[in-house]
Amino acid sequence: MIKREMARAIQRVAEETQNDELEKLAGAFGAATELFIGSCENEIALARALGDEETAVKEQIKANVMHSAREIFAFCYTVISGDRSEVW
């Protein structure tokens, strides 16, 4: 289940002692959203294989929204941290 995997990924990031809190937040958000997008991509492939284009479109929209959220987070991270390198 994706929620369980997401919780484990977030916990692993939270336990990293070498990162400060902002880096942990970015890492946790990155890990969680990567899993979410991956799940959407799997659902899209399954829906298309079954000929269910309506579900495929809905899953694509969810994935696109998450990509947009990642872009917003990355911009905020850059502004707050001053670090111009890639967040993930």
Side-chain angles (χ1 to χ4, degrees):
M1 167 165 263
I2 188 75
K3 289 182 183 180
R4 194 171 305 136
E5 290 176 54
M6 205 177 284
R8 286 186 197 128
I10 291 169
Q11 188 61 43
R12 279 192 301 273
V13 172
E15 292 170 354
E16 292 175 0
T17 58
Q18 73 274 17
N19 292 336
D20 64 25
E21 297 303 310
L22 185 59
E23 291 169 327
K24 287 180 184 181
L25 178 61
F29 187 81
T33 56
E34 281 179 23
L35 285 169
F36 184 90
I37 292 168
S39 175
C40 289
E41 290 170 350
N42 290 340
E43 292 297 321
I44 292 166
L46 176 61
R48 289 206 169 120
L50 297 174
D52 186 357
E53 195 59 31
E54 182 178 334
T55 297
V57 169
K58 288 178 183 178
E59 290 297 320
Q60 185 64 57
I61 291 168
K62 286 169 45 178
N64 289 346
V65 168
M66 193 57 69
H67 279 292
S68 295
R70 286 173 61 92
E71 289 174 9
I72 293 166
F73 185 96
F75 176 75
C76 292
Y77 180 89
T78 299
V79 170
I80 299 299
S81 71
D83 185 359
R84 302 250 181 243
S85 62
E86 291 291 319
V87 178
W88 300 287

